[in-house]
Amino acid sequence: DTGVSQDPRHKITKRGQNVTFRCDPISEHNRLYWYRQTLGQGPEFLTYFQNEAQLEKSRLLSDRFSAERPKGSFSTLEIQRTEQGDSAMYLCASSRAGGLTQPQHFGDGTRLSIL
Amino acid sequence: AQRVTQPEKLLSVFKGAPVELKCNYSYSGSPELFWYVQYSRQRLQLLLRHISRESIKGFTADLNKGETSFHLKKPFAQEEDSAMYYCALSGDRDDKIIFGKGTRLHILP
C-alpha cells in the first residue's frame, strides 16, 4: 500500500479556467477528506465523505467548488472559474470509519498556481 | 468558536536542549487533540494524540483542560526533530480537524 495518492502534484492554470484534482485513498479506508493549505497557514477543512456520501462541507467551499466520490473509492475536487485566491496546496486524507480513534493519513497534496 | 493557537512561528533550539512547542485551543466541549508533523519533503503525518497517552520519538503532550493547552515536549532535542509541527483538534461530534498555523522547529547543531 503506497498510502494516499494525489494527482497531479502541481497544476498551473490561468485565471478563469476549470481544474480537477484526484485523490486515491488507502484502499480499506471509507472516509475521505479534503483540506486546503495556504502559505503560512495550517490545513483548513473543506469537505469529507463516508463512502460515496458527502457528509460535511465547509463554508470555505464556495459554489465554484465541487467534490465527488462516486463509487466510494477515489474522489475528485473540481474548481470552476478559478481565481487568484484559489492558489494553494490541496490536501487529501483518508481514514477508517469510527471517528477519530482512527487517524487520518494525508497525501502529498496538489499545488495549484493561478496565473 | 473552534480555534487552535500556536504562538510561535519559529522555534530554534540547540541539540540536546529541551523542546516545548506551545498550543492553546478554544472549544466548548470535549475535543480530541493531536500533534501532526511534516518533515522536509515528506507528507503531513500524525505524531501523537492525547487519548493515546503515548510517547512518540521522545515527544509527549499533556492535555490541560483548565488552561486549554496541549503543549508538545521533548527533554533532549535531536537534529532529526527539525520539522513543521501542527497542533490540531477535533470536536466530539465532528470528524474534521482544525489545525493551528504551525511552528517550525529548527534544531541547531
Side-chain angles (χ1 to χ4, degrees):
Chain A
D1 186 4
T2 57
V4 177
S5 176
Q6 292 189 245
D7 183 69
R9 292 292 302 275
H10 305 276
K11 179 71 176 178
I12 301 172
T13 192
K14 293 182 179 179
R15 184 167 53 92
Q17 298 295 304
N18 299 343
V19 294
T20 300
F21 312 139
R22 176 180 171 124
C23 171
D24 286 89
I26 293 171
S27 56
E28 63 267 28
H29 287 180
N30 54 2
R31 286 193 173 169
L32 186 149
Y33 308 79
W34 285 100
Y35 293 85
R36 181 174 67 188
Q37 186 173 22
T38 54
L39 199 62
Q41 303 292 320
E44 296 173 293
F45 170 80
L46 293 178
T47 187
Y48 94 95
F49 294 82
Q50 178 157 316
N51 301 314
E52 63 274 10
Q54 189 172 17
L55 297 187
E56 187 173 349
K57 292 168 61 173
S58 164
R59 282 171 288 189
L60 293 175
L61 215 62
S62 76
D63 55 8
R64 296 185 297 106
F65 288 69
S66 61
E68 294 183 343
R69 195 181 182 198
K71 297 182 180 178
S73 57
F74 73 91
S75 175
T76 58
L77 177 68
E78 181 183 15
I79 308 174
Q80 296 183 324
R81 305 181 303 280
T82 52
E83 301 173 355
Q84 293 279 358
D86 297 332
S87 293
M89 177 74 85
Y90 290 84
L91 295 168
C92 178
S94 70
S95 72
R96 292 187 177 92
L100 293 167
T101 54
Q102 304 295 332
Q104 294 184 22
H105 297 258
F106 283 81
D108 287 321
T110 294
R111 183 171 296 283
L112 175 64
S113 298
I114 306 298
L115 301 177
Chain B
Q2 300 175 12
R3 187 183 304 120
V4 176
T5 302
Q6 294 180 253
E8 304 136 330
K9 290 183 70 172
L10 172 66
L11 183 65
S12 296
V13 173
F14 284 103
K15 178 182 171 183
V19 174
E20 184 178 43
L21 299 172
K22 290 186 167 41
C23 172
N24 288 89
Y25 67 90
S26 172
Y27 185 79
S28 56
S30 298
E32 185 165 357
L33 274 295
F34 311 85
W35 278 97
Y36 277 80
V37 61
Q38 188 166 25
Y39 300 102
S40 178
R41 299 189 185 85
Q42 294 187 27
R43 57 186 61 180
L44 192 63
Q45 59 187 285
L46 179 67
L47 179 63
L48 55 79
R49 46 191 164 157
H50 88 272
I51 59 169
S52 299
R53 296 184 176 277
E54 56 194 345
S55 173
I56 304 292
K57 300 185 179 182
F59 285 98
T60 58
D62 291 320
L63 178 61
N64 186 323
K65 292 185 179 181
E67 295 182 358
T68 59
S69 68
F70 189 57
H71 303 326
L72 183 68
K73 299 177 183 179
K74 184 170 182 176
F76 307 105
Q78 297 172 282
E79 288 191 60
E80 54 264 35
D81 296 330
S82 292
M84 194 74 181
Y85 290 80
Y86 295 95
C87 183
L89 72 76
S90 181
D92 48 15
R93 286 184 293 276
D94 278 330
D95 287 298
K96 64 178 181 285
I97 295 178
I98 307 298
F99 287 88
K101 292 186 178 182
T103 297
R104 181 166 298 283
L105 178 62
H106 183 208
I107 305 302
L108 303 166

